Amino acid sequence: MSQEGLNKIKQELADALAQRPVISAAIAEAREKGDLSENAEYESAREAQGLLELRIANLQNMVANAKVLDGSQLGTDKVQILNKVKVENVALHNVMEFTIVGESEADFSKGRLAATTPIAKALLGHGKGEVVEAKVPSGVMKFKILEISI
């Protein structure tokens, strides 16, 4: 992933950790209202706490296992993660441009395509001028790689 992506995940983690005291206070407040077996507020707060702890654990795992790629050391002879790729859909003759990123950074509306998608998988490792086939849910699409940049 990029350093920017890692920073975003670290910020999400900090925000989630900041929510711990808020949820603990909600649990304490609900607990003060009496019988816990019939206290919907208490159950709701406990469920929120469980979801928050799961999110925190997932974010901590992502940070611990993150591999930050240095864009300055990437090549442009073959498509790889963090490359910006311009391709032409061979059948439709339309040109698309996107950056291939890790799954946590993907945002198709911003031109950031996850490396785990069928199109990105098909492009990875191929060079400019090559035509690749991507198996997508609607069938097989062919793309010609027009440009690879950083």
Side-chain angles (χ1 to χ4, degrees):
M1 79 173 40
S2 67
Q3 184 62 49
E4 176 186 332
L6 179 59
N7 292 344
K8 183 179 173 189
I9 291 170
K10 285 181 176 180
Q11 184 59 53
E12 281 183 54
L13 177 58
D15 294 344
L17 290 169
Q19 287 298 308
R20 275 181 170 163
V22 174
I23 290 182
S24 293
I27 290 171
E29 183 180 320
R31 189 179 294 134
E32 290 173 4
K33 293 185 178 177
D35 186 9
L36 299 182
S37 65
E38 294 182 19
N39 188 332
E41 263 186 76
Y42 177 76
E43 288 302 318
S44 178
R46 291 286 298 172
E47 186 177 323
Q49 182 183 41
L51 292 173
L52 178 66
E53 291 304 324
L54 180 62
R55 183 168 172 238
I56 288 171
N58 286 338
L59 290 169
Q60 287 174 329
N61 187 42
M62 289 172 75
V63 169
N65 294 313
K67 182 176 179 185
V68 177
L69 298 174
D70 181 2
S72 68
Q73 299 199 4
L74 295 176
T76 57
D77 54 331
K78 301 284 182 189
V79 177
Q80 53 191 315
I81 292 181
L82 296 186
N83 278 145
K84 187 176 282 187
V85 184
K86 185 184 272 188
V87 297
E88 177 186 8
N89 181 316
V90 174
L92 302 175
H93 302 290
N94 63 330
V95 175
M96 298 174 282
E97 189 170 330
F98 40 78
T99 302
I100 298 178
V101 296
E103 197 160 334
S104 63
E105 297 180 80
D107 185 348
F108 194 73
S109 67
K110 293 180 181 175
R112 299 176 70 79
L113 187 65
T116 55
T117 62
I119 294 172
K121 284 181 181 179
L123 293 171
L124 289 170
H126 293 278
K128 183 178 175 183
E130 289 186 54
V131 175
V132 299
E133 289 186 356
K135 293 178 184 168
V136 296
S138 61
V140 176
M141 299 175 76
K142 289 186 180 183
F143 296 96
K144 181 176 183 179
I145 301 172
L146 303 176
E147 193 176 305
I148 304 167
S149 60
I150 298 172

